[in-house]
Amino acid sequence: MMTSTSGLAERIAAVQAAVDRAIARAGRDPASVTLVAVSKTVDREAVDEAYALGLRHFGENRVQEATAKFASPLPADATLHLVGHLQTNKVRSAVALFDLVESVDRPSLVDALEKEAARAGRLVPVVLQVNVAREPQKAGCAPEDAAALLAQLRRCPHLSPRGLMTIAPLEADPERTRPVFRALRELRDALTRDLSEVDLGVLSMGMTNDYAIAIEEGATHVRIGRAVFAG
Ligand SMILES: *Cc1c(COP(=O)(O)O)cnc(C)c1O
């Protein structure tokens, strides 16, 4: 784990400036994109420093590690996102810790989340992870399975579907990720057209390598780890 956070203010400012440039290029509202700082590689001290510098959204990918890291909770105005694969046997801990689960990708996980959210007396906001590029090693449902999962989510009184998430393939030329992000947005638009009364406002897409392209394609949440936390 990295303990030195020197230069964090400069890195956050640089990322924010690049985010703002992408928003301007796309002619979008500056308030429409949220920076989620993925803190999975850094310790709590770095998260607290990022919070002090104004960041409010943090992403973690492992339930157990995150539970230890946030044993002392973040201030109430911070939002903790689960962005990693969620095993069914970790759902109870995930519901206890995370404000929002971005990695919902299979029927058994929806069932487990509903059961634990009900038990905790919570309404848990969730995002469907879609494996747009159909990479065999990656989590996420197939695009053609998203509608059925969404229908299942809507039958769950303790889960609140908010949108879609994807991880683009790692490309040397980030421009090559554009069709993946565009496809996620088009899938969201199609699902919104087909289902009444569902607000899929969240498009969580874009990481350190490709967030500018994702913003141009409509990302509302960019999940950035290395550009924020790694020197
Ligand atoms: C690690 C991770 C990120 C951040 O990746 P960087 O390349 O460090 O910006 C974003 N999303 C998910 C799901 C991750 O696991």
Side-chain angles (χ1 to χ4, degrees):
M1 289 232 173
M2 188 189 78
T3 50
S4 162
T5 57
S6 60
L8 185 59
E10 290 76 7
R11 287 195 299 274
I12 291 172
V15 168
Q16 199 62 64
V19 164
D20 290 344
R21 284 194 301 274
I23 290 171
R25 273 199 304 280
R28 297 182 53 198
D29 173 1
S32 65
V33 180
T34 299
L35 170 59
V36 180
V38 178
S39 49
K40 65 191 183 192
T41 61
V42 296
D43 58 20
R44 179 58 187 270
E45 193 187 350
V47 177
D48 290 341
E49 191 181 346
Y51 178 89
L53 289 163
L55 296 189
R56 291 294 178 269
H57 290 258
F58 298 94
E60 290 283 337
N61 69 336
R62 289 172 194 268
V63 176
Q64 254 165 334
E65 269 180 42
T67 299
K69 193 184 289 188
F70 298 100
S72 155
L74 285 167
D77 65 344
T79 302
L80 200 54
H81 299 237
L82 177 61
V83 300
H85 179 70
L86 178 54
Q87 292 169 265
T88 309
N89 64 1
K90 302 268 169 48
V91 167
R92 185 170 297 181
S93 311
V95 165
L97 180 67
F98 289 95
D99 297 296
L100 182 147
V101 176
E102 293 203 22
S103 46
V104 175
D105 65 353
R106 58 196 190 278
S108 59
L109 181 57
V110 174
D111 287 340
L113 277 165
E114 169 59 21
K115 183 167 156 243
E116 293 300 336
R119 190 176 168 275
R122 274 194 69 195
L123 177 64
V124 178
V126 298
V127 172
L128 268 189
Q129 181 177 354
V130 185
N131 188 357
V132 173
R134 300 177 192 275
E135 291 180 279
Q137 75 279 17
K138 282 210 177 113
C141 70
E144 62 272 19
D145 294 337
L149 270 176
L150 197 55
Q152 184 188 357
L153 280 171
R154 293 176 83 211
R155 293 191 296 269
C156 296
H158 300 90
L159 303 178
S160 171
R162 297 293 170 86
L164 304 181
M165 180 271 237
T166 199
I167 303 172
L170 187 58
E171 300 279 2
D173 175 7
E175 188 56 39
R176 292 175 62 94
T177 61
R178 189 181 296 278
V180 171
F181 297 140
R182 188 167 294 172
L184 192 74
R185 170 164 50 84
E186 288 172 353
L187 177 61
R188 190 275 308 271
D189 293 347
L191 291 167
T192 305
R193 255 194 321 274
D194 296 348
L195 297 164
S196 58
E197 289 166 38
V198 66
D199 177 12
L200 299 176
V202 172
L203 275 182
S204 174
M205 55 191 197
M207 310 177 13
T208 291
N209 282 317
D210 50 27
Y211 65 88
I213 307 280
I215 290 169
E216 290 172 16
E217 293 301 326
T220 63
H221 291 70
V222 287
R223 308 177 310 269
I224 303 183
R226 286 169 297 143
V228 168
F229 287 111

